[in-house]
């Protein structure tokens, strides 16, 4: 039976100077955030406009551009100005902040549905990432191959890629749908990257069939 995975966003720039997320600094008095910029829509929704490469938001593998922020540390952001939201997110370096947010999925026919999520992040300064690694379209960091009539088989996860960071895919999973596109009959000559590539930190939804239901 096909089981939807948590939607993944397109992968952040590859980490070339460090192989693991930077360890948290001791809590201190310096006010820092989590590395995302928010804006307000006409309807009042607070959405993520930018994710900073090398930031806690980027390393989480969970937050993406256009996600809607609902609460910060349990406090609703409805009616707040951008400055008020920024002050809620910011705090002493090394302290934890809880973000409640809403994401889009594509899993009921072709209809868009929404899912509310929650994430805890440490407030940290971003790790410097070379600009050349942040340019152009990005992929998921997945090595995969089409299997006729079944989907796209995940053969490997690249270190530091979105799929590895968000921990929603594993080797042996079969991708059967990417956003609205059914990939069970994907042409063998079509590379997975051409289907999943997009702007850095944008979101893509995958419908995944587990080869062994007991794996997850």
């Amino acid at each position: 039976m096909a089981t939807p995975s948590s939607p993944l966003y397109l992968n952040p720039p590859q980490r070339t100077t460090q192989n693991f997320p930077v360890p948290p600094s001791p809590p201190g008095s310096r006010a820092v955030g989590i590395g995302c910029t928010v804006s307000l829509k006409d309807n009042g929704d607070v959405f993520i406009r930018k994710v900073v490469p090398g930031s806690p938001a980027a390393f989480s593998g969970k937050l993406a551009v256009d996600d809607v922020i609902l609460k910060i540390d349990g406090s609703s952001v409805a009616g707040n100005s951008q400055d008020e939201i920024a002050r809620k997110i910011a705090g002493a370096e090394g302290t934890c902040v809880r973000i409640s947010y809403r994401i889009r999925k594509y899993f009921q026919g072709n209809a868009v549905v929404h899912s509310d999520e929650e994430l805890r992040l440490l407030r940290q300064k971003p790790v410097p990432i070379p600009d050349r690694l942040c340019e152009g379209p990005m992929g998921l960091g997945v090595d995969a191959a089409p299997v006729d009539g079944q989907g796209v088989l995940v053969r490997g996860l690249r270190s530091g890629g979105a799929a590895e960071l968000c921990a929603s895919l594993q080797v042996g999973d079969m991708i059967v749908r990417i956003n609205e596109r059914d990939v069970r009959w994907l042409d063998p000559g079509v590379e997975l990257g051409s289907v999943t590539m997009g702007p850095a930190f944008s979101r893509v939804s995958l419908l995944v069939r587990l080869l062994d239901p007991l794996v997850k």
Side-chain angles (χ1 to χ4, degrees):
M1 180 177 67
T3 304
S5 72
S6 298
L8 313 176
Y9 69 74
L10 296 176
N11 78 298
Q14 298 294 310
R15 292 172 286 170
T16 57
T17 58
Q18 57 278 331
N19 294 323
F20 302 96
V22 175
S25 302
S29 58
R30 178 184 173 89
V32 296
I34 59 173
C36 66
T37 303
V38 300
S39 293
L40 300 178
K41 293 185 177 180
D42 292 340
N43 64 1
D45 281 349
V46 179
F47 71 99
I48 296 177
R49 180 166 55 87
K50 179 182 179 181
V51 176
V52 178
S55 68
F59 280 131
S60 75
K62 298 292 185 181
L63 291 177
V65 172
D66 287 335
D67 287 351
V68 176
I69 303 295
L70 303 174
K71 297 178 181 179
I72 301 170
D73 284 332
S75 174
S76 173
V77 298
N80 288 179
S81 68
Q82 286 182 237
D83 287 343
E84 289 171 328
I85 296 165
R87 286 195 294 270
K88 283 184 175 181
I89 293 176
E93 187 173 5
T95 58
C96 183
V97 61
R98 188 171 82 254
I99 306 293
S100 301
Y101 60 105
R102 177 168 295 152
I103 64 177
R104 292 182 299 174
K105 299 181 180 180
Y106 293 88
F107 290 139
Q108 292 185 356
N110 287 326
V112 175
V113 297
H114 297 86
S115 174
D116 293 354
E117 310 285 340
E118 188 172 280
L119 178 66
R120 293 176 184 267
L121 293 174
L122 287 179
R123 298 177 173 101
Q124 291 287 116
K125 294 181 294 183
V127 176
I129 300 289
D131 289 342
R132 62 183 176 81
L133 298 180
C134 310
E135 300 172 349
M138 301 288 175
L140 294 175
V142 174
D143 293 321
V147 179
D148 195 30
Q150 298 186 52
V152 178
L153 178 65
V154 177
R155 299 192 299 188
L157 304 178
R158 297 174 190 170
S159 177
E164 182 194 56
L165 288 175
C166 71
S168 293
L169 276 181
Q170 64 183 21
V171 174
D173 285 349
M174 186 74 71
I175 302 171
V176 298
R177 190 169 178 172
I178 300 173
N179 289 338
E180 304 99 325
R181 182 170 181 175
D182 189 326
V183 295
R184 287 175 293 180
W185 303 101
L186 192 66
D187 189 317
V190 176
E191 294 186 1
L192 180 63
S194 67
V195 184
T196 60
M197 294 286 277
F201 304 112
S202 59
R203 189 175 291 280
V204 59
S205 295
L206 305 180
L207 186 65
V208 178
R209 176 177 294 118
L210 309 181
L211 296 185
D212 181 355
L214 299 179
V215 170
K216 292 184 180 181

